[in-house]
Amino acid sequence: MSVSEFIAPASLGDALGIKNELGTEARVIAGGTDLILRMRDNVLSPTTLIDLRRLSVNDIAFSDDGLILGAFVSLSQVLESADIENYFPALPAACREFAGPPIRNRGTLGGNIVNASPAADLVPPLIAYDASIVLSSSSGERVLPLMEFFVGPGKSVIEPNEILTEIRLPPLAVRSAATFIKLGKRRSMAIAQVNLTTRLSVDQAGVVKEARIVLGSVAPTVMRAVNAEEFLTGKALSNDLLSEAAKKTREAVTPISDVRGSRSYRLEMTEVLVRRALSATCNKLQGTVSDG
Ligand SMILES: Cc1cc2nc3c(=O)[nH]c(=O)nc-3n(C[C@H](O)[C@H](O)[C@H](O)COP(=O)(O)OP(=O)(O)OC[C@H]3O[C@@H](n4cnc5c(N)ncnc54)[C@H](O)[C@@H]3O)c2cc1C
């Protein structure tokens, strides 16, 4: 592991200029909880590290237009935010299940996204909340749905000259609720065998207006079970409906067997956990729908 330069630029423009010149030779270091391990193992060998902590890229801004998170917001910052807990609770729920306090203090949202792990814990809640991301370069910004960022394990559409600068969550409809569940081999410091977030938005009569079922560790990238989401949409909530949606989710996932669990175990647990998450989500919605 040999890095020739560690730069803390005075502005984002300066950082983007360095990325423009050096491409993947220069890597952004956020918390370093992934990057340093990969450099130690010679998976990545950047010559230059760019540290943006001097810049205000770790702000949290909440308004009627939704939530804007700087890419360098740490997991601990998410856990300290009352607005995020009130309006986007599946995100702090994922943070609480993530590693332990030292990693949560250093690890960032942007690092978890750019790492592009199919098991990344923060990605299912962010996609369930319809997050979009801002990728900045010397030539400007592009905004894309987070769902379109990932193309394979460890692979994304980020260009060598780009830095992820922001994550944006639109405001939620009234009568919306979401649930995050993670299954690991132990209760903490575990990479997920399956992780998922369900979100439901319903009308006053309890008919599903919008459904999101987003899963990690069961496909080459974090994925949405669109077949199950479409099945739920337009229907009144019932136990049978939730069970059928969970079955449909099982049909959509394509897990592999690895050191953390077999394919058949992951298939089985996908159905069980999606059923459980949908049921918990419905319970949270109770009281927001009328009986008549
Ligand atoms: C002990 C341990 C436990 C862990 N537990 C979990 C867990 O439970 N769940 C989980 O999902 N992950 C876990 N991780 C993985 C890791 O902590 C997370 O992925 C974390 O969110 C990475 O964030 P970071 O800020 O440390 O990223 P870094 O290591 O700094 O960066 C990761 C990668 O993203 C790039 N990058 C970072 N920020 C940007 C940006 N803004 N723009 C462009 N590129 C960028 C870096 O160049 C690097 O390639 C664990 C890691 C360790 C060591």
Side-chain angles (χ1 to χ4, degrees):
M1 177 161 96
S2 81
V3 172
S4 52
E5 260 190 311
F6 187 97
I7 307 175
S11 70
L12 181 62
D14 288 352
L16 294 172
I18 297 165
K19 275 300 260 173
N20 204 35
E21 197 184 317
L22 299 179
T24 51
E25 287 291 297
R27 289 232 160 223
V28 169
I29 180 160
T33 61
D34 270 314
L35 181 61
I36 297 296
L37 299 187
R38 279 162 201 265
M39 288 170 60
R40 187 197 60 191
D41 297 341
N42 290 320
V43 179
L44 294 173
S45 316
T47 57
T48 304
L49 292 182
I50 307 173
D51 181 349
L52 301 185
R53 269 174 302 176
R54 276 172 61 190
L55 313 180
S56 58
V57 280
N58 62 348
D59 289 343
I60 296 175
F62 182 78
S63 72
D64 289 348
D65 295 332
L67 179 67
I68 298 181
L69 298 154
F72 293 76
V73 165
S74 71
L75 281 82
S76 295
Q77 276 179 277
V78 170
L79 287 169
E80 283 161 11
S81 163
D83 285 330
I84 300 179
E85 185 62 52
N86 284 339
Y87 293 97
F88 300 99
L91 183 59
C95 293
R96 281 190 286 275
E97 301 269 339
F98 192 111
I103 298 283
R104 294 202 283 263
N105 286 339
R106 290 209 61 87
T108 64
L109 301 187
N112 199 240
I113 292 170
V114 176
N115 209 28
S117 163
D121 281 324
L122 307 185
V123 174
L126 288 172
I127 291 180
Y129 286 129
D130 289 341
S132 55
I133 54 172
V134 180
L135 295 170
S136 301
S137 71
S138 305
S139 39
E141 284 183 353
R142 61 182 176 126
V143 182
L144 71 156
L146 178 56
M147 189 61 210
E148 293 173 15
F149 183 67
F150 307 103
V151 292
K155 293 196 170 60
S156 73
V157 298
I158 194 165
E159 295 291 343
N161 65 340
E162 286 180 321
I163 293 177
L164 169 61
T165 46
E166 245 175 49
I167 302 141
R168 297 177 182 168
L169 274 57
L172 278 185
V174 277
R175 292 185 290 274
S176 289
T179 304
F180 172 83
I181 295 183
K182 172 175 177 175
L183 177 70
K185 277 195 148 178
R186 20 173 219 268
R187 294 213 59 188
S188 71
M189 302 300 282
I191 302 296
Q193 294 167 302
V194 179
N195 57 10
L196 62 97
T197 302
T198 59
R199 176 171 70 79
L200 296 173
S201 299
V202 295
D203 67 14
Q204 214 162 1
V207 172
V208 178
K209 281 168 39 187
E210 198 169 58
R212 294 286 180 271
I213 301 176
V214 192
L215 304 108
S217 276
V218 290
T221 63
V222 173
M223 60 164 283
R224 275 175 61 186
V226 176
N227 62 333
E229 293 174 358
E230 285 173 354
F231 169 77
L232 286 168
T233 307
K235 298 195 175 77
L237 291 171
S238 71
N239 283 332
D240 286 350
L241 187 81
L242 303 188
S243 300
E244 193 54 34
K247 280 202 186 82
K248 288 192 182 301
T249 305
R250 180 192 180 126
E251 289 162 17
V253 300
T254 55
I256 54 165
S257 297
D258 65 13
V259 286
R260 295 196 298 279
S262 67
R263 173 181 156 80
S264 58
Y265 179 66
R266 284 188 159 112
L267 282 171
E268 198 65 33
M269 292 319 290
T270 295
E271 185 173 337
V272 170
L273 296 179
V274 168
R275 176 70 178 78
R276 198 175 291 171
L278 285 171
S279 182
T281 307
C282 284
N283 288 342
K284 291 172 196 167
L285 286 168
Q286 260 179 12
T288 68
V289 296
S290 64
D291 297 331

